[in-house]
Amino acid sequence: DAGVTQSPTHLIKTRGQHVTLRCSPISGHKSVSWYQQVLGQGPQFIFQYYEKEERGRGNFPDRFSARQFPNYSSELNVNALLLGDSALYLCASSLAGSGRTEAFFGQGTRLTVV
Amino acid sequence: KQEVTQIPAALSVPEGENLVLNCSFTDSAIYNLQWFRQDPGKGLTSLLLIQSSQREQTSGRLNASLDKSSGRSTLYIAASQPGDSATYLCAVWSRGNEKLTFGTGTRLTIIP
């Protein structure tokens, strides 16, 4: 069975540009969450979606947005990129969104803003 | 607000030794605690999940314990191998939240 897949794996963007990151959860999983990990830190929560509805939002500016599609895949969009947005973006999938089930992470997308 | 702490930040031990990684959290109202492994520049690999009602979980050479009342968890690695070298992260899912809260990790180096 395929695990959580994220695309692209690496990305270089210029300040002010827009970026879209994609995530496909494990088959049967209905919850997708996004996390940002800067070097040397633990991942920080950005969004959670369950059954195509936003269930939680972390302390990130409105430049960050996300959505979940009918097939449960998800996109994370970041507008007006800043140098500080450079990070590893991680997607996690789980069966339910309640925290009672195990979270599985993808390999991440490394975003570099120059 | 839930806070997760992992000490030490880095640890080096000779191959073959048993070792313990520590994780503490401030709010005991949790659904579960999860231990992850992260290789440099890579994603997270789930190692063990402990539900709030459980005291420990085992997988191969790994054993994780949970003391919810004191806000502590340990990850025990037996007979360490160079391939165990990685950063180990613990994370908790708190009741009333919709997210995992992570510690900053322990970078483990096993010396051949």
Side-chain angles (χ1 to χ4, degrees), chain A residues 30-33 48-51 55 94-101, chain B residues 31 93 97-99:
Chain A
K30 299 180 178 180
S31 174
V32 170
S33 298
Q48 191 211 55
Y49 278 79
Y50 178 69
E51 286 281 20
R55 285 292 189 89
S94 57
L95 275 171
S98 64
R100 293 183 174 86
T101 58
Chain B
Y31 284 124
W93 194 299
N97 285 354
E98 302 298 337
K99 64 178 183 178

Side-chain angles (χ1 to χ4, degrees), chain B residues 37-110:
Chain B
R37 168 189 173 130
Q38 186 173 34
D39 293 295
K42 303 296 185 182
L44 307 182
T45 299
S46 179
L47 298 174
L48 289 164
L49 170 73
I50 310 178
Q51 300 287 358
S52 61
S53 58
Q54 298 175 316
R55 297 283 293 183
E56 65 178 87
Q57 281 286 341
T58 298
S59 175
R61 294 184 294 109
L62 306 179
N63 176 277
S65 68
L66 174 64
D67 184 341
K68 195 174 63 169
S69 61
S70 68
R72 295 177 188 273
S73 176
T74 61
L75 179 66
Y76 174 84
I77 302 177
S80 58
Q81 303 171 357
D84 295 331
S85 296
T87 295
Y88 290 79
L89 293 152
C90 73
V92 297
W93 194 299
S94 304
R95 292 183 182 274
N97 285 354
E98 302 298 337
K99 64 178 183 178
L100 284 166
T101 301
F102 284 84
T104 52
T106 294
R107 188 173 70 253
L108 176 65
T109 302
I110 305 300

Side-chain angles (χ1 to χ4, degrees), chain A residues 1-5 24-29 104-105:
Chain A
D1 283 342
V4 180
T5 57
S24 293
I26 293 171
S27 178
H29 285 195
F104 296 90
F105 282 77

Side-chain angles (χ1 to χ4, degrees), chain A residues 60-73:
Chain A
F60 281 80
D62 291 344
R63 299 184 296 107
F64 288 75
S65 63
R67 55 180 175 168
Q68 187 176 32
F69 298 100
N71 65 354
Y72 301 108
S73 67

